[in-house]
Amino acid sequence: MMKGSFVYQMLPARVVFGRGTIAALPAEAERLGLRRLLVLSTPEQVGLAERVRKFLGDRAAGIFGLATIHTPIEVTKQALELVAAERIDGVVSAGGGSATGLGKAIALRTDLPQIVLPTTYAGSEMTPILGETQDRRKTTQRSPKIQPEVVIYDVDLTLTLAPLMSALSAFNALAHAVEALYAPDSNPIVEMMAEDGVRAIVAALPKVLKEPTNPEARASLLYGAWLCACCLGVTTMGLHHKLCHTLGGLFDLPHAQTHAIVLPYALAHNAPMVPEAMTRLCRAIGSDDAAGALLRLGHDCGIPLALRDIGMPHDGIAYAIEQALTNPYANPRPIEVGPLSNLLERAWAGAGL
């Protein structure tokens, strides 16, 4: 049954979804009136950036291929120097969350239009949220300037994403929907997108692992990730995202792996306080134990199951708790040292729920 009054903020993003949609890039640039575009990528994705430049032709003014994890401010400053020197009027972010994050950081400071070509399922392209790091601390902010104008989802660009990275990225997407279901500003529209997004990802992920180049399975996974990202863009983040941002900033942990490990523990931590959200998650996942099902799915995907496995030191738990208690995100369960310490100890050791 539909709830009573609610507020749903639609985000002004244009989405092009399908196979071979990278070919729409020149027309989208024309629609935005862009003539001097800077293509952004990580060093590993420079090949894709070169391909994007060829599609753009004389609309491409250059490539900046130094995007990196957690969007360090010093890298953004380097990119801004090129933006000024080349009189850039827009950016094309080609790749995963690192490239998208750099495009957002540039747009925040310049208000330049963004076109994003995602190659993963992380979902940053659908949000007005930017996380940046400086001096081992990651901060997040929201702004209309951060929201990309155009997102081109090309299923073909995901076909070569390694199965393990696909799974890690998909768990990142799942986290967006999970927290959106019990966010204080959730609403029936978000609940509908979150539940369908989780259902699509959980159903498609095993198929992608078995047949990585199966375009139908990849399309379903990308569709689910898109829905989950839409949820993140219009709701408040909770304890799970606070922990992941804190751990990533403090210990330079890989973003997707951190999400994948922490998610079942954070969900189990909050579950007693959010029965309605748990009902939706269990229905979407097809299990009476949503947190346990996610932990088993991670195991089946070969995902690292402990924070210690991805480089977090045990003596960092106390420091992480201290940072997580600073400006905590809204969460259905009060943030207290004892339960939080237990959560992180178990996630660090991969001790199970």
Side-chain angles (χ1 to χ4, degrees):
M1 183 178 296
M2 197 195 80
K3 294 180 179 178
S5 301
F6 64 89
V7 174
Y8 175 67
Q9 177 65 56
M10 297 185 71
L11 298 175
R14 175 178 168 88
V15 173
V16 181
F17 190 104
R19 297 193 64 185
T21 49
I22 190 174
L25 183 55
E28 293 301 318
E30 172 66 25
R31 193 180 62 82
L32 292 172
L34 303 178
R35 296 290 184 272
R36 295 191 60 78
L37 284 155
L38 180 64
V39 183
L40 309 173
S41 77
T42 61
E44 297 78 13
Q45 291 274 43
V46 168
L48 174 60
E50 290 286 357
R51 185 180 172 199
V52 168
R53 176 157 65 176
K54 290 179 181 177
F55 269 102
L56 289 171
D58 59 10
R59 292 180 187 274
I63 292 175
F64 183 87
L66 299 177
T68 192
I69 189 172
H70 301 309
T71 319
I73 286 179
E74 56 267 26
V75 175
T76 300
K77 290 179 179 177
Q78 292 181 54
L80 287 170
E81 292 175 0
L82 185 57
V83 166
E86 296 296 332
R87 296 175 289 110
I88 299 300
D89 62 5
V91 297
V92 178
S93 303
S98 296
T100 303
L102 177 57
K104 288 176 156 187
I106 292 171
L108 176 65
R109 292 162 174 83
T110 63
D111 206 18
L112 291 178
Q114 304 169 72
I115 301 174
V116 185
L117 282 161
T119 59
T120 71
Y121 308 108
S124 175
E125 67 278 354
M126 290 307 300
T127 78
I129 304 167
L130 171 64
E132 298 180 295
T133 50
Q134 185 174 31
D135 301 326
R136 296 181 62 219
R137 181 167 297 187
K138 190 167 187 175
T139 59
T140 61
Q141 57 184 308
R142 289 177 183 252
S143 168
K145 292 181 180 180
I146 296 171
Q147 178 71 46
E149 280 72 13
V150 177
V151 179
I152 300 176
Y153 286 112
D154 189 335
V155 175
D156 292 343
L157 295 182
T158 69
L159 296 178
T160 57
L161 186 64
L164 177 58
M165 284 309 301
S166 298
L168 290 167
S169 185
F171 264 78
N172 194 354
L174 286 170
H176 305 330
V178 167
E179 288 218 310
L181 280 170
Y182 54 68
D185 45 4
S186 189
N187 58 67
I189 309 303
V190 167
E191 290 169 351
M192 176 179 63
M193 290 192 295
E195 187 172 345
D196 201 39
V198 170
R199 182 184 296 109
I201 289 175
V202 171
L205 187 52
K207 298 176 185 177
V208 168
L209 294 177
K210 291 178 181 178
E211 301 178 71
T213 58
N214 183 322
E216 289 76 20
R218 287 284 188 178
S220 295
L221 196 55
L222 191 58
Y223 165 78
W226 170 27
L227 290 181
C228 292
C230 289
C231 297
L232 175 67
V234 296
T235 57
T236 302
M237 291 179 286
L239 175 64
H240 169 81
H241 280 86
K242 178 65 176 182
L243 288 177
C244 292
H245 293 162
T246 299
L247 296 173
L250 286 176
F251 308 113
D252 197 30
L253 302 184
H255 185 72
Q257 285 92 327
T258 306
H259 272 284
I261 293 169
V262 171
L263 179 59
Y265 294 95
L267 178 58
H269 176 86
N270 281 324
M273 306 299 293
V274 289
E276 184 178 342
M278 295 308 298
T279 297
R280 288 183 173 276
L281 278 174
C282 288
R283 185 166 60 215
I285 293 172
S287 169
D288 292 335
D289 177 14
L294 290 177
L295 196 62
R296 290 190 294 274
L297 180 60
H299 177 271
D300 292 344
C301 292
I303 287 174
L305 298 179
L307 290 171
R308 65 181 177 184
D309 293 340
I310 61 171
M312 180 181 171
H314 185 263
D315 60 8
I317 291 177
Y319 192 24
I321 291 173
E322 178 185 341
Q323 291 297 313
L325 292 172
T326 304
N327 299 317
Y329 295 177
N331 195 67
R333 179 173 174 176
I335 309 299
E336 299 171 333
V337 173
L340 188 56
S341 177
N342 180 63
L343 187 165
L344 284 175
E345 286 282 357
R346 299 187 74 79
W348 181 85
L353 304 175

